[in-house]
Amino acid sequence: MFRHDENAAPTHAQFAMRVTILGVIAIVAFGAVFFRLWFLQVLSGEAYLKEANANRVREIKIQAPRGEILDRAGRVLVDNKTVLSLQVQPSELPQQNEPRNDELRRVAEVAGMSYGKVKDEMTAQMAAAMGLKPHDYKQELRAGEIEEPPVPVTLKQDVDKDVVYALRERQDEFPGVSASQMYVRNYPNGTLGAHLFGYVSEIGPDQLKEPAYEGLEQGDRIGATGLESQYDQILRGRNGAIRVQVEASGEPRGRELSRIEPEAGDNLKLTLDKKIQAAGESALAATGLPGAFVVMKIDDGSILGMGSSPTFDPSVFTPPVSTKVVKALSQNEEDPLLDRAIQSGYPTGSTFKAISGSAALESGLITPEHTFADAGSFMRYDRKWINAGEAVNGVVNMVSALKVSSDVFFYDIGDLANQRYDEDGTEIIQDWAKQLSFGSLTGVDLPGEGAGLVPTPEWRDKLFEDASDPDSCGGKEILYGVDGCFETDRPWSAGDNMNLAVGQGDLQATPLQLAIAYATIGNGGEVVRPHFGMEAEDATGAQTQAFEPAPRREVDLSEDTRSTIMEGLRQAASEPAGTSYPTFGSYPIEIAGKTGTAEKTLQEDQSWYAALAPADDPKYVVVVTVEEGGFGATTAAPAACQIFNAVFEIKDECAAGTSQTR
Amino acid sequence: MPTIARPRTFDERSAGIGARTGLLKIDPVTAFAGIGLIVCSIVALGFTTQSEIAGDPYFFTIRQSIYAVIGIALMFALARIDYSRFRELRVGIYSAMIFTIVLVLFLGFAALGARRWIELPFFQFQPSELGKLLLVLALAGFAIDRARRQTAWQRTARLLLLGFVPALIVFVQPDLGTALVYGVITLAILFISGTPWQHFAALGGIALAAVAIVLLLAPAVGHPVLHGYQLDRLTSFLNPSDDPADSSYQTNQALTAIGSGGKTGRGEDATQVQNHFLPEAHTDFMFSAIAERWGFMGAALVLSLYALLIWRALRITTLSKNLYGSLVGAGIASMLLFQVFVNVGMNVGLMPVTGVPLPLVSYGGTSVLVTFMAIGVLQSIYVQSQLSSPGSLRTAL
């Protein structure tokens, strides 16, 4: 120990020596570190650089499960299941041709695929990743203009567990080959709602560039059609990723560099009611004929049920997709993939009388008291205009004409309206029909709807003019509806308007458009925006987003007009001699509904029924159409009755009617 | 201890305000080394941690800059205080140190896991980091205290005990690296305060026996003292290529990062850090990150600044106006030297992985603040030595 004065500076020789020893230790330590650094960086830098370059990252995607699609009560309509898929990471396969092809041959054998199929699949998917055609991709690859894209190739989806075990046991023989779990859609209710959901598929190269799909990568799965596509951003979720360090050979170094957990998509709750949907589908199926139905709330446009027949099994589009089955579906003559509720345009027969009738009243063309002597037929423009079966209804006004579905009453209205057109160019029925959503897209949240057609004088005159031009699409022939060529052999005439007034002729309307028109009459003038989306919920059931689309527009519908039409519709369904009285006369809830029978050349008539209920304070609209179903009263009305049973939770027998009116 | 009033020297008079505030009397070389190191750290963090936190590329850079500003301010503040006052406060300082590291230990138990920090509104305060400086200040005081009243053996034993208690507490946290730093501080103060050579020889013998017990005997009878990972870390550096997936993984990746940096660095191609192959690249392995990106040039620059800093610390030890200052200076110098050597040694594969930060360069609020405070104490020793020296006989160099 030093002897010292603690207030004085230490000057002892031992002190100086000991600090010096500390200094020497520091010099030795720094020397060692400097020398080591020199050795590592300057002398062995090259070797370590090689090692650093051999360190690679492989990103393993963790697929996020898509949100479920639920009905309005939270019942599952679409959920997920997992399948095992067989994947190949081309960058981790042997790079020389011979060993690579050897391995692919063995993979093909284990997976029960042909070697050619394996090669084709790889070329096709890698070409798609580069946005090239397979042939061009092969050429450019061979010419050395491009490199193999670093994307995994899915050889087979839904492989057997045994195959996976076989591969895992011999993983060292199969570098770059792996099995991964994949979520695919599951439809627990079979064909229920098949036309609504659409399907999920891998994102295409063009979609990758769209802003709606920002942040997605090749191989990610998106909703391709239907509600899956419409609400993709909600359902999709966010894929996670594990980044793993691998050697240049692809051999994992066993360390996870980072992990981003996947975020499941939100669940989509629809306005659809599973029970009503099921009732509608089974009522349609019972007819054994193609057709469609729509059930909608008239105050806000929420769709409770919408279906099309014939239908299909939506699971044919979930992996593993059989191209054979899909091809057969798309080539089927009955066209089960077609959604007849929004994609098919038809003349709607007498159901349209509610539209032409309200047009005539609202425009002041006639008054509710206006009468017409219905003698079963009349002659006009060198033609005999007749009721179905030439039934004589006596003196009718708007209410009774709707009740018994007098054609001559509405032929006369059509003629009156056309005279007004000749006078001042107004198109009373057409303008009104267009306001009620005919002839344009309804804006429903389901992609692919058709606009239909409201025939007007300008429209027909233009087609006629085109036909007389020898350079037109039809040439010297007059073609209508052939290869997108529309021409006619005559200009607009009063008869066209008379046919329109009863919903025949050139009118093309979707069942959904008819439902919206009826809803507008029922709710007093709000043209609602039909929709399926109700709300989005996260996994805990908490609402993350609500969809309440505002009405598209208001139309001027006087209470007088509305009550006249509603009374006509009510009597048609609920009073003796009404066209659908046999079906709805004794129904516990009073219905206001109109039958329709659309005439078709060379085909059985198309049966229609459009109804609002309850009649005194309508809340729901139901539209049913059955192609080749004959009279509206015989097939469509009983089917609509079955649907009302589900809406009001009633058990009625729904007798078929006998009215042979249009 | 209060400064004794004395006539002003010619130097002070001509220095004017600077002399009164003591600012112009600080050692410019020490300040340069400290500020140079923190600038290196901020620049390196700015380049290497941009992808660390998604959406916030300058998270670490900005925080480290804030710590730097506060730290430098603390350094200047401490430079103006006469460090000798700390000697009077030695019991309080020692108690505060023990209290805070025990507190964090109990908070850790409460959180059912290892915890080394106390959550403060703006950053995580790590008491064991501050404990390094507090131990130096207190132990140096005790070393002088005991000087006249005990036998040499008693004195050594007491100092050892005073150093051993906090070391044991942080070891239990568990924080092996900091425990070793406390041990080194204790040994350095013992050494500089003149503890006889034979005491060190006896200590060496005891240490050898302890190591034998910890590594061989205790595991054999079923009571291992070191956690499995601690033992792995301590031994794996001996043969790093054994098991790349395990504890020597870090060492391997650090060696690859440093080696691949070469003479001038990989710049934007520094994949070891960018791809996160190198773990803890902004804290314990910051040196490797610098060495990869800026090569031997960058790494040597940082090492040189440390050499400068430690040389000045030793020089200030000899310049001190009293023994307390010398012991504090030697304690700080050894603390810095040990941390630099263990951290850089761990990066270059010469030392086991022990979680000792690189002072001023590793990201971390408490470490930066405490290191600047330590430099501030060094400055205080320097300033006081200049004030007490007659004329300018004892100049800086």
Side-chain angles (χ1 to χ4, degrees):
Chain A
M1 205 193 312
F2 308 136
R3 308 255 175 262
H4 55 74
D5 170 4
E6 65 188 48
N7 288 332
T11 47
H12 200 278
Q14 263 234 320
F15 168 78
M17 188 190 77
R18 290 197 177 197
V19 175
T20 307
I21 289 173
L22 217 53
V24 170
I25 292 174
I27 289 168
V28 170
F30 274 100
V33 169
F34 261 109
F35 177 76
R36 174 75 172 161
L37 209 55
W38 176 265
F39 168 78
L40 287 175
Q41 298 199 288
V42 180
L43 301 182
S44 331
E46 289 297 309
Y48 281 112
L49 190 59
K50 228 177 252 174
E51 202 165 300
N53 286 333
N55 274 336
R56 300 276 167 85
V57 176
R58 180 166 72 189
E59 199 166 279
I60 301 170
K61 193 188 295 179
I62 322 172
Q63 193 194 359
R66 266 180 100 73
E68 296 180 352
I69 301 180
L70 312 170
D71 89 338
R72 65 186 303 118
R75 290 172 286 223
V76 174
L77 300 173
V78 182
D79 58 7
N80 300 300
K81 63 178 180 181
T82 54
V83 294
L84 289 164
S85 72
L86 186 62
Q87 290 192 323
V88 168
Q89 192 80 36
S91 60
E92 292 170 17
L93 289 173
Q95 294 303 306
Q96 285 86 16
N97 269 334
E98 213 167 294
R100 171 182 276 220
N101 292 342
D102 248 22
E103 179 178 335
L104 291 179
R105 246 180 226 110
R106 280 181 284 125
V107 171
E109 197 183 321
V110 174
M113 300 169 77
S114 76
Y115 170 65
K117 175 105 172 89
V118 169
K119 289 288 270 190
D120 287 351
E121 203 62 56
M122 288 187 56
T123 310
Q125 290 185 35
M126 286 194 280
M130 304 282 288
L132 292 172
K133 292 203 174 99
H135 180 75
D136 299 340
Y137 167 76
K138 266 180 161 169
Q139 266 190 345
E140 288 186 31
L141 189 66
R142 214 170 289 143
E145 287 164 19
I146 50 169
E147 279 185 25
E148 253 182 6
V151 294
V153 172
T154 304
L155 285 187
K156 200 178 183 188
Q157 289 162 333
D158 206 6
V159 288
D160 208 68
K161 276 203 178 67
D162 293 343
V163 173
V164 176
Y165 293 146
L167 284 171
R168 286 218 178 121
E169 272 168 30
R170 296 186 288 159
Q171 189 61 64
D172 51 329
E173 294 173 39
F174 293 101
V177 177
S178 62
S180 69
Q181 221 175 33
M182 181 169 80
Y183 288 106
V184 298
R185 280 312 207 184
N186 182 45
Y187 302 92
N189 310 301
T191 60
L192 187 92
H195 292 93
L196 308 178
F197 309 131
Y199 58 88
V200 178
S201 69
E202 270 183 28
I203 190 166
D206 295 334
Q207 287 165 315
L208 278 171
K209 295 170 197 149
E210 289 175 30
Y213 300 109
E214 210 189 309
L216 296 194
E217 293 167 1
Q218 169 78 25
D220 283 347
R221 294 175 69 78
I222 56 162
T225 58
L227 292 171
E228 296 271 23
S229 153
Q230 182 80 27
Y231 291 102
D232 188 56
Q233 295 201 9
I234 286 161
L235 294 166
R236 194 197 298 146
R238 193 189 299 273
N239 287 334
I242 307 176
R243 294 173 75 240
V244 184
Q245 184 177 4
V246 294
E247 286 168 28
S249 64
E251 193 69 20
R253 301 202 65 166
R255 191 169 168 272
E256 200 175 290
L257 298 169
S258 68
R259 167 188 283 260
I260 303 166
E261 292 298 336
E263 275 174 47
D266 279 355
N267 291 343
L268 175 66
K269 207 178 217 185
L270 300 183
T271 57
L272 211 70
D273 184 306
K274 186 181 158 190
K275 284 184 186 160
I276 295 172
Q277 179 71 17
E281 288 189 11
S282 75
L284 265 191
T287 67
L289 293 166
F293 73 94
V294 176
V295 188
M296 189 174 79
K297 284 172 75 176
I298 66 168
D299 59 339
D300 65 355
S302 28
I303 297 172
L304 299 174
M306 188 166 107
S308 177
S309 175
T311 186
F312 62 96
D313 180 356
S315 67
V316 299
F317 294 107
T318 61
V321 178
S322 155
T323 44
K324 209 188 276 175
V325 173
V326 171
K327 204 172 168 191
L329 260 182
S330 58
Q331 289 175 352
N332 186 323
E333 281 194 2
E334 291 199 308
D335 206 351
L337 295 178
L338 181 70
D339 186 352
R340 287 167 164 78
I342 59 165
Q343 293 176 324
S344 295
Y346 307 103
T348 68
S350 296
T351 56
F352 195 72
K353 287 173 181 168
I355 289 90
S356 47
S358 49
L361 292 174
E362 200 55 42
S363 64
L365 193 64
I366 59 165
T367 63
E369 294 74 35
H370 168 90
T371 56
F372 187 82
D374 179 352
S377 68
F378 62 71
M379 287 294 296
R380 213 170 281 180
Y381 307 115
D382 303 328
R383 211 194 116 178
K384 190 180 185 185
W385 302 84
I386 57 170
N387 282 339
E390 257 184 277
V392 178
N393 296 314
V395 176
V396 290
N397 61 11
M398 180 61 75
V399 170
S400 53
L402 283 171
K403 173 185 178 186
V404 300
S405 201
S406 164
D407 286 342
V408 292
F409 181 88
F410 286 93
Y411 282 143
D412 185 52
I413 284 177
D415 194 21
L416 288 175
N418 203 59
Q419 286 168 26
R420 184 68 70 82
Y421 170 69
D422 291 339
E423 285 163 21
D424 62 10
T426 51
E427 298 169 357
I428 291 171
I429 301 175
Q430 284 85 346
D431 288 348
W432 185 248
K434 285 176 187 169
Q435 286 212 54
L436 296 195
S437 87
F438 292 99
S440 62
L441 300 179
T442 66
V444 68
D445 51 355
L446 193 55
E449 66 169 329
L453 171 73
V454 177
T456 61
E458 301 81 59
W459 165 79
R460 178 166 276 282
D461 291 349
K462 172 80 167 51
L463 298 192
F464 178 64
E465 208 174 288
D466 286 353
S468 56
D469 179 357
D471 294 334
S472 71
C473 55
K476 282 176 187 158
E477 273 181 275
I478 294 168
L479 301 176
Y480 186 83
V482 179
D483 298 333
C485 185
F486 291 90
E487 297 174 351
T488 76
D489 56 352
R490 58 176 183 78
W492 180 261
S493 69
D496 287 311
N497 218 42
M498 292 163 78
N499 267 331
L500 175 63
V502 298
Q504 310 281 3
D506 298 313
L507 174 69
Q508 301 271 316
T510 65
L512 181 61
Q513 286 173 334
L514 187 63
I516 293 167
Y518 268 67
T520 308
I521 293 168
N523 67 28
E526 267 194 0
V527 181
V528 296
R529 184 182 292 272
H531 61 277
F532 289 95
M534 188 156 85
E535 58 182 52
E537 303 176 339
D538 62 19
T540 65
Q543 191 187 71
T544 54
Q545 209 175 328
F547 310 105
E548 282 157 2
R552 306 187 66 205
R553 57 181 170 266
E554 294 269 341
V555 296
D556 289 326
L557 179 69
S558 69
E559 181 50 33
D560 212 19
T561 304
R562 180 184 172 276
S563 59
T564 307
I565 301 294
M566 283 302 294
E567 178 59 14
L569 296 177
R570 188 192 68 80
Q571 291 191 13
S574 310
E575 298 279 324
T579 50
S580 52
Y581 178 75
T583 307
F584 289 110
S586 59
Y587 199 73
I589 306 258
E590 206 171 35
I591 305 291
K594 185 74 199 79
T595 53
T597 309
E599 291 171 350
K600 288 194 163 172
T601 44
L602 308 174
Q603 250 185 31
E604 195 59 30
D605 291 343
Q606 181 165 352
S607 177
W608 282 89
Y609 197 74
L612 292 158
D616 57 345
D617 179 21
K619 291 193 162 49
Y620 308 100
V621 61
V622 169
V623 168
V624 177
T625 186
V626 181
E627 290 176 25
E628 304 185 46
F631 290 103
T634 51
T635 46
C641 176
Q642 300 285 357
I643 293 171
F644 277 126
N645 277 353
V647 172
F648 295 115
E649 299 182 327
I650 285 170
K651 283 184 182 145
D652 193 82
E653 283 168 28
C654 295
T658 51
S659 170
Q660 305 213 326
T661 57
R662 298 192 193 102
Chain B
M1 171 183 147
T3 353
I4 298 158
R6 54 178 182 79
R8 290 188 167 189
T9 62
F10 171 76
D11 272 2
E12 283 169 272
R13 279 193 301 276
S14 61
I17 284 195
R20 277 197 293 280
T21 56
L23 274 187
L24 283 191
K25 287 283 184 180
I26 66 163
D27 179 20
V29 184
T30 307
F32 167 79
I35 294 171
L37 284 165
I38 197 71
V39 167
C40 285
S41 169
I42 291 167
V43 170
L45 284 168
F47 278 105
T48 60
T49 61
Q50 292 188 11
S51 66
E52 203 69 27
I53 290 180
D56 198 354
Y58 294 109
F59 180 91
F60 293 114
T61 317
I62 289 170
R63 273 166 182 70
Q64 187 82 337
S65 306
I66 295 170
Y67 302 144
V69 169
I70 301 172
I72 291 169
L74 283 172
M75 173 181 82
F76 281 119
L78 279 165
R80 296 185 55 190
I81 297 172
D82 185 355
Y83 65 93
S84 302
R85 288 183 195 164
F86 293 125
R87 195 193 147 197
E88 297 156 25
L89 298 171
R90 62 194 174 278
V91 177
I93 290 173
Y94 188 82
S95 314
M97 171 191 66
I98 297 288
F99 175 75
T100 50
I101 59 177
V102 168
L103 179 68
V104 85
L105 185 66
F106 279 108
L107 289 177
F109 283 138
L112 298 178
R115 274 249 310 253
R116 292 176 190 172
W117 60 83
I118 294 172
E119 207 67 53
L120 288 185
F122 298 107
F123 79 125
Q124 294 170 333
F125 171 59
Q126 240 175 299
S128 58
E129 279 294 321
L130 182 61
K132 292 171 184 172
L133 179 60
L134 297 184
L135 184 67
V136 170
L137 295 175
L139 215 55
F142 291 129
I144 300 170
D145 222 24
R146 305 289 179 203
R148 284 177 226 151
R149 295 174 217 150
Q150 282 146 344
T151 67
W153 282 106
Q154 274 175 328
R155 177 181 170 279
T156 302
R158 275 173 199 258
L159 282 180
L160 270 180
L161 188 70
L162 285 168
F164 184 73
V165 169
L168 186 69
I169 297 170
V170 295
F171 173 76
V172 171
Q173 266 183 4
D175 187 351
L176 179 60
T178 306
L180 290 175
V181 175
Y182 287 4
V184 165
I185 288 169
T186 310
L187 287 179
I189 288 176
L190 277 174
F191 183 62
I192 297 299
S193 67
T195 303
W197 292 102
Q198 55 265 43
H199 291 197
F200 286 103
L203 264 181
I206 294 169
L208 270 178
V211 166
I213 289 170
V214 165
L215 294 185
L216 304 172
L217 197 60
V221 297
H223 292 286
V225 178
L226 288 174
H227 289 258
Y229 75 91
Q230 288 176 328
L231 198 59
D232 280 349
R233 278 176 173 184
L234 287 176
T235 53
S236 72
F237 80 103
L238 297 172
N239 34 17
S241 53
D242 250 11
D243 180 9
D246 227 87
S247 53
S248 63
Y249 171 86
Q250 296 182 327
T251 307
N252 260 330
Q253 294 306 324
L255 286 179
T256 306
I258 295 170
S260 65
K263 287 176 200 133
T264 54
R266 302 174 74 192
E268 287 301 318
D269 301 325
T271 51
Q272 285 293 105
V273 170
Q274 274 159 22
N275 289 337
H276 301 104
F277 298 141
L278 179 69
E280 307 290 339
H282 61 287
T283 54
D284 290 355
F285 285 92
M286 190 73 210
F287 185 77
S288 297
I290 292 171
E292 183 190 21
R293 198 180 173 98
W294 289 282
F296 184 72
M297 284 176 10
L301 171 69
V302 170
L303 278 183
S304 307
L305 287 172
Y306 280 120
L308 198 60
L309 180 64
I310 287 161
W311 165 58
R312 287 312 296 170
L314 290 173
R315 180 78 186 123
I316 288 170
T317 300
T318 62
L319 289 178
S320 171
K321 68 177 182 184
N322 55 19
L323 179 60
Y324 181 64
S326 295
L327 293 184
V328 169
I332 291 173
S334 324
M335 172 186 104
L336 292 174
L337 175 62
F338 181 72
Q339 293 193 79
V340 171
F341 180 70
V342 169
N343 181 284
V344 175
M346 158 182 108
N347 274 266
V348 298
L350 289 177
M351 295 291 282
V353 178
T354 42
V356 171
L358 193 54
L360 298 183
V361 169
S362 289
Y363 171 79
T366 322
S367 173
V368 168
L369 296 189
V370 169
T371 309
F372 269 121
M373 284 161 72
I375 295 174
V377 172
L378 285 179
Q379 294 285 16
S380 169
I381 299 170
Y382 179 81
V383 168
Q384 294 303 322
S385 77
Q386 297 301 295
L387 290 176
S388 64
S389 64
S392 47
L393 285 176
R394 302 180 72 171
T395 53
L397 301 167

